[in-house]
Amino acid sequence: KKTFLGWLRQEAPAGALAKVRAESTGLTSLLYEQELSPLSRLALCSQFDATNLDKPPKVGVNIALKN
């Protein structure tokens, strides 16, 4: 059985980061991070099975605060 893993990573000058990852199993992950200020960062992520779109995706939100 042949497998593959592919990903794409893109950074923006304003402190944003986007990532996409796809596996041969159909598992696909998305991540977006944005620096809101020097003391805070927001991350949004999602994961879904591209071979079974009836299955609900996993979704996450994270806000990181620095001291």
Side-chain angles (χ1 to χ4, degrees), residues 39-66:
L39 297 176
S40 63
R41 187 165 198 84
L42 171 70
L44 306 170
C45 59
S46 178
Q47 186 179 64
F48 64 94
D49 186 351
T51 62
N52 184 4
L53 296 177
D54 292 330
K55 188 176 177 181
K58 296 178 183 178
V59 179
V61 176
N62 182 37
I63 298 176
L65 303 173
K66 301 175 189 174

Side-chain angles (χ1 to χ4, degrees), residues 7-12 15-22 28-34 41-48 58-63:
W7 67 91
L8 173 67
R9 176 187 170 115
Q10 182 67 42
E11 292 186 45
L17 171 68
K19 291 182 184 179
V20 178
R21 177 181 168 156
T28 303
S29 303
L30 309 166
L31 171 69
Y32 178 79
E33 289 183 346
Q34 175 71 51
R41 187 165 198 84
L42 171 70
L44 306 170
C45 59
S46 178
Q47 186 179 64
F48 64 94
K58 296 178 183 178
V59 179
V61 176
N62 182 37
I63 298 176

